[in-house]
Amino acid sequence: MVEQLKKEMEDISQMKKGRLVVGSMPITGSTILPFVLPAFQAAYPDIQISLVEETSSNLESLTSNGQTDISLLSLPLREDSLVYETLLEEEIVLAVPPLHPLASSNEPIRIDQLAKEDLSR
């Protein structure tokens, strides 16, 4: 039994066997993971992957508490105990109707400009 436990621990540490709990926001779960998980599963067929979809702030807590092994989150993080690596940076665009006052701007729109806009309809 001790030898079996030792072997299982060795397999997990060498990514041969075990369970990996991945936390993801719904958007990354539907756009990024479909490309990543099949390749991972092909390379490590004996690793069972469990997916937890939550908000970024809930995933921070789950990861900090050890309920997920890794999580795909959005910055900034509020949990100081987490170590992270930026995987990608996303450009977010603002779409407005052609006659909207911001549509005529040739410069990037700053977030403080949006604070002055009435975006409700």
Side-chain angles (χ1 to χ4, degrees), residues 24-119:
S24 175
M25 297 177 298
I27 189 71
T28 52
S30 64
T31 58
I32 295 172
L33 291 180
F35 297 101
V36 175
L37 291 182
F40 182 89
Q41 288 179 319
Y44 306 103
D46 293 328
I47 301 287
Q48 176 191 358
I49 298 173
S50 296
L51 180 62
V52 176
E53 285 191 333
E54 270 294 345
T55 63
S56 191
S57 60
N58 286 346
L59 287 170
E60 281 188 52
S61 297
L62 292 171
T63 307
S64 178
N65 295 329
Q67 294 173 280
T68 61
D69 297 306
I70 59 172
S71 289
L72 298 170
L73 306 168
S74 60
L75 294 176
L77 298 182
R78 291 183 280 300
E79 182 58 57
D80 292 334
S81 66
L82 296 176
V83 177
Y84 70 91
E85 182 171 333
T86 302
L87 300 177
L88 60 95
E89 292 185 18
E90 182 177 35
E91 185 176 11
I92 298 175
V93 299
L94 174 68
V96 295
L99 298 179
H100 190 282
L102 293 175
S104 62
S105 176
N106 291 327
E107 298 295 319
I109 306 299
R110 296 183 322 275
I111 200 75
D112 63 325
Q113 289 174 276
L114 290 179
K116 300 171 188 167
E117 291 294 318
D118 179 12
L119 300 175

